[in-house]
Amino acid sequence: MKPAEAAAPARSFSIYEPDQPIGELGFAEQFVVWCLRVQWRLAEDGAGRSHLVQRAFDALELPGGAAMVAELAAALMRTVGRPLSIPCPHWRVLTNDEARVLDFIAGLQHHGQAAQGRFDGSWRAAPCGASPVWAPAQRLALALTAAGLTLGNAAQPGVAFPEAMPRLLH
């Protein structure tokens, strides 16, 4: 590697902002936020994956989706050394933590740019090399991509909103 390459700053991948209205997000983002919020309520109560979230993933023909969201929520709870700000599903704006999760997943969908994204430092590496958040986030990002739900496309011109998918009301 050339010295100039090593010194080049990493490209940051940040699309979402705290206090951004949920209604401004595309369906993929709204869906991920809703899933995380529903699952987070269950995880705080010590429950497993959400059957409501699973029915939503079943409608998208992603049978393991709820398990992926539950795994990501559990990894976030284990990894981040502070309480995360994940509100009830009816909250109308993104929290800082939700914006970070969306940036992370969007970065993974866009050629691994999440590695340089705006997210909690504890997500980057653990003593064994990779944070426990990476694997579940990668699986969820791949599954969403396979279902045609790519985060970050709502702001890009020329990307059609999936007609078969109604927006989630908050």
Side-chain angles (χ1 to χ4, degrees):
M1 178 167 39
K2 298 177 186 173
E5 290 174 351
R11 183 175 158 208
S12 178
F13 191 86
S14 180
I15 299 172
Y16 310 101
E17 296 298 326
D19 298 322
Q20 184 175 358
I22 299 292
E24 290 179 359
L25 301 175
F27 176 79
E29 290 86 354
Q30 289 186 35
F31 184 73
V32 170
V33 168
W34 175 80
C35 289
L36 281 171
R37 288 177 176 183
V38 170
Q39 182 60 46
W40 203 259
R41 298 285 76 80
L42 288 174
E44 286 181 335
D45 296 336
R49 66 185 168 107
S50 166
H51 295 290
L52 177 62
V53 171
Q54 186 54 57
R55 285 197 305 267
F57 274 103
D58 288 344
L60 296 173
E61 298 181 3
L62 277 168
M68 287 182 239
V69 171
E71 185 182 5
L72 177 59
L76 287 167
M77 287 179 139
R78 284 190 318 269
T79 305
V80 178
R82 61 178 175 74
L84 288 174
S85 174
I86 309 286
C88 79
H90 300 291
W91 195 255
R92 295 184 180 271
V93 296
L94 285 178
T95 67
N96 190 36
D97 289 322
E98 290 172 325
R100 288 174 175 169
V101 170
L102 288 178
D103 278 339
F104 190 66
I105 294 171
L108 289 169
Q109 287 185 316
H110 294 276
H111 310 293
Q113 295 174 19
Q116 306 304 324
R118 178 181 61 82
F119 54 87
D120 193 292
S122 64
W123 299 9
R124 293 186 187 166
C128 62
S131 167
V133 175
W134 276 85
Q138 285 177 321
R139 281 191 287 278
L140 181 59
L142 287 170
L144 291 169
T145 301
L149 298 176
T150 304
L151 280 67
N153 281 344
Q156 296 174 2
V159 177
F161 184 82
E163 293 180 19
M165 298 179 196
R167 287 188 179 262
L168 298 172
L169 301 175
H170 297 279

